[in-house]
Amino acid sequence: MPDSHLPSADSLLSVAVDALGGSERQGQITMVKAVQQAIDDGDHLAVQAGTGTGKSLAYLVPSIRHAMDADKPVVVSTATIALQRQLVDRDLPRLSEALGKELPHEPTFAILKGRRNYLCRYKLTAAWPEEDEQDQLFDARDVSATGRMVQRIQEWAEETETGDRDELVPGVSEQAWRQFSVSAQECLGAGRCPSGAECFAELARARAGEVDVVVTNHALLAIDAMGDLPVLPEHRLVVVDEAHELVDRVTSVVTGELSETTVALAVRRVGRLIDQPVADQLMEASEDLKALLAAAPPGRVDELPEVLGLTLALVRDSAARCLTALGPRGGDKDDPDRAGQRKAAFTALDEVHDTAVRMLEAYGHASETDRAEVVWLDGGTDRRPPTLRVAPLNVGGMLRDKLFGDRTVVLTSATLALGGSFDGMARQWGLGDDDWQGIDVGSPFDHPRAGILYVAKHLPQPGRDGLPQAYLDEIAELIEAAGGRTLGLFSSMRAAKAATEALRDRLDVPLLCQGDDSTMLLVKQFAEDEPTCLFGTLSLWQGVDVPGPSLRLVIIDRVPFPRPDDPLTSARQRHVAAKGGNGFMTVAATHAALLLAQGTGRLLRSQDDRGVIAVLDPRLATARYSGFLLGSLPPFWRTTDPGVPRAALRRLSSGD
């Protein structure tokens, strides 16, 4: 129960809003009360809070109050670095100052990342097994560039106080950074490591254990919840912001992979620590795997071919023999260098062995309903070999047991109620009917007055042969009516580039395309020069926050269903259908609804914004599932009349 000596959450919100020079918003007040109630009752809560609600303040205020009350930190998890930085650099410092006089002490906070994000002081000076070079270093230019980055890291290491990779600007490649970082599995542990007392990762953990609010990311949250050893400080309240990304981020964490690179890395790490003939057996298994994957077609592997089964068993057994040859874990206490080499070898071998076991166990089930994981082959590229991957068909059970089990979890995003209901997301999170409450606190924006959702019903359905000429003509006419000021969101990079090439000379306004420069610089240029247009793909759907007259038109080329040949989503769709559900609606339509909602959410970023969302795919108006998709979007004024958005855009353009 709440401490009667602490001010109420809504009174603290009033203090914070006054101190920050803002005004109270009904949705924000409603959210604060709902979060506080969930904390008091110990219930899980899903909150849909539209752009402009001020949701970070709405969950931070009751979270800070709870941290003071329980004397335990609250964990706030985000999907993107941008939101982490906003919380740590802007929201929390201002809020802490505002609430300091109202609470027992000024609220404190820290950011905590995975161990790989921190410089390892020991690895900086110790003899460490060589990192993999095959996938990065191909020619002299690559070697030279990586060498310069390595030198920069070494110079930075002399002055950094945090060892946080994100503070090294400009950034460095993964290949260079790996020379000076370790995973949690590779780490010797603070007690055994000669640099343990000054370890950057351990210092960050120690700081996190002393503060009221710990900001982290979904991946580390998953690792903490599902791993054997805790990474985050003990906590009883988790706030998951950008919660629509949680399932994908958790899936990425628990996806295993095998390739010639991962097996060869294990061989190199163990090579000088065991008898050569034993290591050679694993190298031979690596060569067999390399040859097999190079000849196999990419895609889902629904049935286990005999030759693949034999090869995976060979990899598994060879790795097991290497692990046995390494001897007991935790030896070499008096030789840190050898201990580090052995720990790195154990880590690489464990990954190879356990992933091979997972892949073999993914087969042999009596029916599709019994299948728990899917295996697929990603084709290779010039810089990456073909890779076999394995992932769970459903992470809901893991989340239910490991994340939600003994904590109160608040999940929030601007897009959670798909088709007007939270049930779809709750199923993905593994929450049962009685485990949670859902609330939509709305948005301060007047969507029907501020924006038009135009579906180009007269256009042909999109095909697989690129953008039809009719689509290009429609895009050009809409951009001309808007005077530029357009964000084009395309379902593939190929489509974005094709539209850019076809329209760059045709239009009288500057046209940028994702890939022309860094995304940050492109968005900056787009925001600062009003006539400029920016075309891009899915990674832009959440990365653009441009209030004001620089953005008047958002164009979406097609309903963003997952590719039919996407191994994971197609397997999940089939699995749902085998259990009697609607695989298309549960997986594909839900995926599309989330992305559509995120894409349309780019238009209105402030109270004064006005504009048009133009979806060129007529299926949003005609298909049987269109009601579900439309019900997932903000309530813009809708039309299929091509003249309406053109006239509105011309009026806005002349008014600006």
Side-chain angles (χ1 to χ4, degrees), residues 475-476 479-480 503-509 511 533 535:
I475 293 171
I479 290 176
E480 288 166 357
L503 297 175
R504 192 164 259 163
D505 294 334
R506 178 174 172 179
L507 296 170
D508 295 329
V509 294
L511 177 53
C533 301
F535 286 2

Side-chain angles (χ1 to χ4, degrees), residues 32 133 172 402 404:
V32 165
E133 297 178 353
V172 296
K402 304 291 188 178
F404 295 103

Side-chain angles (χ1 to χ4, degrees), residues 522-543:
L522 289 173
V523 172
K524 184 173 185 289
Q525 188 175 344
F526 173 61
E528 291 177 352
D529 183 36
E530 286 187 16
T532 297
C533 301
L534 174 59
F535 286 2
T537 186
L538 297 182
S539 59
L540 272 180
W541 290 48
Q542 291 179 292

Side-chain angles (χ1 to χ4, degrees), residues 341-354:
Q341 293 169 11
R342 280 168 48 82
K343 190 71 182 289
F346 274 120
T347 299
L349 288 168
D350 284 339
E351 181 181 350
V352 168
H353 175 269
D354 295 350

Side-chain angles (χ1 to χ4, degrees), residues 314-336:
L314 183 62
V315 170
R316 176 198 63 196
D317 296 342
S318 301
R321 282 191 284 272
C322 289
L323 286 166
T324 300
L326 267 178
R329 299 172 190 253
D332 302 299
K333 293 182 179 179
D334 299 327
D335 187 347

Side-chain angles (χ1 to χ4, degrees), residues 291-332:
L292 179 61
L293 298 186
R300 221 169 57 208
V301 186
D302 290 335
E303 302 296 331
L304 182 64
E306 182 179 4
V307 64
L308 178 58
L310 292 172
T311 304
L312 288 174
L314 183 62
V315 170
R316 176 198 63 196
D317 296 342
S318 301
R321 282 191 284 272
C322 289
L323 286 166
T324 300
L326 267 178
R329 299 172 190 253
D332 302 299

Side-chain angles (χ1 to χ4, degrees), residues 425-444:
M425 296 303 297
R427 279 194 299 270
Q428 290 190 18
W429 298 328
L431 293 176
D433 293 341
D434 301 325
D435 295 338
W436 60 283
Q437 298 290 324
I439 181 173
D440 183 352
V441 300
S443 166

